[in-house]
Amino acid sequence: MTGSTASPDQPDRAGLERLRTEAETRHAGFVESGMALDLTRGKPATEQLDLADALDGILDGDYRAEDGTDSRNYGGLLGLPECRRLGGRILGTDPERVLAGGNSSLTLMYQLVETAHLFGLGDARPWRDEAAEAGRPVTFLCPVPGYDRHFTVCESLGIAMRTVPVTDEGPDMDAVEAAVAEDPLIRGIWCVPKYSNPTGCVYSEEVVQRMAALPGRAGPGFLVLWDNAYAVHDLRDDPPVLADLMGAADALGHADSIAMFASTSKITHAGSGVGFMASGAETLAAFQQRLGTLMIGPDKVNQLRHARLLPDDEHLRAHMRRQADLVRPRFDAVEEALQQGLGNTGLASWTRPDGGYFVSVDTRPGLATEVVRLASEAGVKLTPAGATFPLGEDPEDRNIRLAPTFPPLEDVRRAMEVFINAVQLATARRLLQEESP
Ligand code: PLP
C-alpha cells in the first residue's frame, strides 16, 4: 500500500525545547562516532546480485538462439526473439513490439528522445524545428517528485521541463491535460508507472486510460515515456496490477506515441543486464533505423544468457520472490523507524511502497536541505535535497528520497536513527526560531 503518514499534532514550546536538546545530544554522539553510511542511490545489494550468478557459464558453449542466430556475431538490432519475449513479459506487452538492447534502458530513453528531437520519429517533425519556429524550447511534463536522470536527459538536450504533481494514483491528470491544452510545445511526459521513483505509487486504471488518450490531445510527435523500471519488483503478496497502457493506446490508434521501457538491471546484474523498449510499429522502425547509425547490433550473448536464466513467467516470478525476500526487511526497517521516530508528530510524512526501490519523505517546508546537511555531518549520506525535481530545485525544499536496498540491514537501521534525529533536530530548531519574539 502506498500512503502517507502525517499528523497535525505539534509539540508545545516546552516539548520542542526538550526535543531540540535531546536531538542535539544524540547528534553530537553520532558525529563523534565517525559513521560512514550511505542511503543514496538505488543499487541492488551484493546478495541480490548473487541471485543471478548462474548467468555466468549458463550457455555452456551453446551460443545458438532459437531461430538459429549465432549470438556471438554482429547484427539483430531488435534483439533475439527469446529475449524480446522476456522483455514482453516484464513490460506486459506483445514481444513483436519489443526491442531488446544493451545493458541500460536509460540509454534507450535518451536515444529515443534525442532521435525525436533532432531527426523526428516516423512522420513527425523534429522537435528542434518546432522549437526554432516558436522561438522557445519544447517542453516535457515531469511528474514530481520524480527520477533525476529523466530530468538530466531533458536538460542535456535543451528541453524545458514543467512539473505536475504526483498523487497516490499517479500524475495529477487534470494538471497534465490542462498543460497540454495550454501549450502546443509540450512534446512528452515522463512516467514511472509502477512503484514510482521515488514515491512508490502505482498508476490507477483511470490514470492509465487518460495517459493512453493524451497523445490525441497533444498532437503528432508527442511521446508518453513509460519507464516501467520496477514492473516486477513486488515486495508483498497480491501485488497491485498495472493497467495495460499499450492495449488502451492501441484501441485509440496511439501506439506509436507510447514508448515503454524496462530492464533487468534490478533483476539480475545491475551493470550487465538487458534494456528493453516497446512501441508501435512505426516508432520502432524509426528508432531501429537510428540505432543502425550507432551500432551493428547489441550484445546478444548477454541476451541469450538472460533468456536461458529467465525462460518463462514461473522462473521470473520465483527469481523476483527471492529478490523481495532480501529487499523487504530493509523497507520494513525504514517504515518501523519512521513510524517509531516520527509517527503522529506532524514532523514529516512518507510513503509506504509495496515494491520498487525507494521511500519518499516530506519534511515540513524549507527543511529538506538542512536535514540532508545534518545527516551528512553525522556520517549518513542522503540523496541531495531537490534531486527529485528538475534542475535540482524543490520549490518547497521538503522532499527527500531514501534508498534502503544497498546497505546491510543493520546499517539501514543505524542510518535511519541518524535520519530521524536530523528531522527532529532541524524541525525543532526551525519551529523554535519561528516562535521566538
Ligand atoms: N528508470 C528508473 C525509474 C530508475 O530508477 C533507474 C535506476 O535507478 C533506471 C531507469 C535505470 O535503468 P537502467 O539500469 O536500465 O539504465
Side-chain angles (χ1 to χ4, degrees):
M1 182 192 72
T2 299
S4 298
T5 302
S7 155
D9 308 343
Q10 184 176 310
D12 58 14
R13 190 170 179 91
L16 282 174
E17 279 169 355
R18 200 167 46 246
L19 183 64
R20 181 181 58 185
T21 308
E22 288 168 2
E24 268 168 355
T25 307
R26 283 191 296 265
H27 185 72
F30 293 141
V31 172
E32 192 145 307
S33 72
M35 264 185 257
L37 303 173
D38 190 330
L39 275 187
T40 57
R41 295 233 73 96
K43 294 200 293 190
T46 309
E47 313 90 84
Q48 289 179 260
L49 301 170
D50 291 346
L51 293 175
D53 284 353
L55 280 170
D56 214 4
I58 198 170
L59 298 185
D60 197 22
D62 176 8
Y63 294 99
R64 293 276 164 192
E66 64 185 27
D67 64 355
T69 299
D70 184 339
S71 62
R72 297 168 300 182
N73 222 326
Y74 270 144
L77 276 174
L78 285 174
L80 296 177
E82 53 269 65
C83 196
R84 294 170 71 193
R85 276 206 303 281
L86 171 60
R89 231 174 276 129
I90 295 169
L91 283 167
T93 200
D94 180 354
E96 288 297 309
R97 292 260 165 94
V98 177
L99 174 148
N103 75 330
S104 162
S105 61
L106 185 66
T107 302
L108 293 171
M109 293 176 225
Y110 175 83
Q111 287 170 339
L112 184 74
V113 172
E114 186 190 59
T115 303
H117 192 54
L118 300 183
F119 305 99
L121 284 166
D123 293 336
R125 293 177 70 200
W127 295 337
R128 69 167 164 181
D129 291 355
E130 295 183 57
E133 205 170 279
R136 65 186 173 97
V138 295
T139 298
F140 263 44
L141 293 177
C142 299
V144 288
Y147 178 39
D148 53 351
R149 291 178 193 267
H150 288 163
F151 307 147
T152 308
V153 168
C154 286
E155 209 183 329
S156 73
L157 290 167
I159 295 173
M161 291 174 270
R162 176 167 168 169
T163 60
V164 286
V166 173
T167 73
D168 283 351
E169 311 264 288
D172 173 345
M173 290 308 289
D174 288 342
V176 167
E177 288 163 4
V180 161
E182 185 191 300
D183 184 355
L185 284 189
I186 290 178
R187 286 349 266 128
I189 180 166
W190 289 112
C191 300
V192 184
K194 191 169 168 193
Y195 306 134
S196 184
N197 177 347
T199 75
C201 76
V202 180
Y203 290 14
S204 70
E205 165 90 37
E206 187 196 333
V207 165
V208 173
Q209 293 297 332
R210 287 170 79 175
M211 204 61 84
L214 198 59
R217 295 168 176 265
F222 180 85
L223 285 179
V224 176
L225 293 148
W226 197 251
D227 177 3
N228 210 347
Y230 303 103
V232 291
H233 300 62
D234 309 303
L235 287 179
R236 309 188 197 280
D237 293 338
D238 298 322
V241 176
L242 180 67
D244 175 13
L245 176 74
M246 194 62 93
D250 262 336
L252 298 166
H254 294 162
D256 282 303
S257 293
I258 306 297
M260 300 173 128
F261 301 91
S263 76
T264 65
S265 292
K266 286 163 184 170
I267 296 175
T268 59
H269 289 170
S272 50
V274 180
F276 303 101
M277 181 186 116
S279 188
E282 196 177 304
T283 296
L284 206 56
F287 186 63
Q288 193 185 346
Q289 189 186 15
R290 180 78 202 132
L291 267 190
T293 313
L294 305 175
M295 63 165 78
I296 305 172
D299 178 351
K300 296 184 299 301
V301 172
N302 194 34
Q303 292 190 0
L304 193 56
R305 294 183 329 133
H306 278 79
R308 297 242 173 104
L309 185 78
L310 302 167
D312 51 35
D313 251 344
E314 211 173 300
H315 281 81
L316 180 60
R317 267 204 301 269
H319 186 81
M320 292 316 291
R321 268 198 299 273
R322 289 192 285 274
Q323 289 276 2
D325 288 343
L326 295 170
V327 175
R328 196 184 313 106
R330 290 163 164 90
F331 273 75
D332 289 346
V334 169
E335 167 57 22
E336 219 175 276
L338 287 167
Q339 191 54 44
Q340 249 174 37
L342 300 174
N344 298 318
T345 63
L347 268 52
S349 61
W350 61 90
T351 58
R352 297 192 192 96
D354 286 331
Y357 264 51
F358 305 102
V359 172
S360 174
V361 179
D362 279 331
T363 64
R364 284 171 171 260
L367 287 179
T369 306
E370 177 61 4
V371 168
V372 171
R373 189 193 69 77
L374 285 169
S376 161
E377 197 171 79
V380 172
K381 210 167 141 201
L382 298 172
T383 309
T388 52
F389 284 73
L391 310 177
E393 289 164 14
D394 175 356
E396 291 195 273
D397 187 24
R398 62 188 311 204
N399 188 250
I400 298 174
R401 184 183 85 166
L402 302 179
T405 55
F406 186 68
L409 184 56
E410 207 33 57
D411 285 1
V412 172
R413 292 203 178 103
R414 289 200 303 148
M416 286 307 295
E417 268 181 58
V418 171
F419 173 71
I420 281 156
N421 197 61
V423 174
Q424 290 170 334
L425 181 53
T427 315
R429 279 178 176 166
R430 178 66 56 87
L431 289 175
L432 285 166
Q433 207 175 43
E434 282 167 5
E435 272 189 14
S436 21

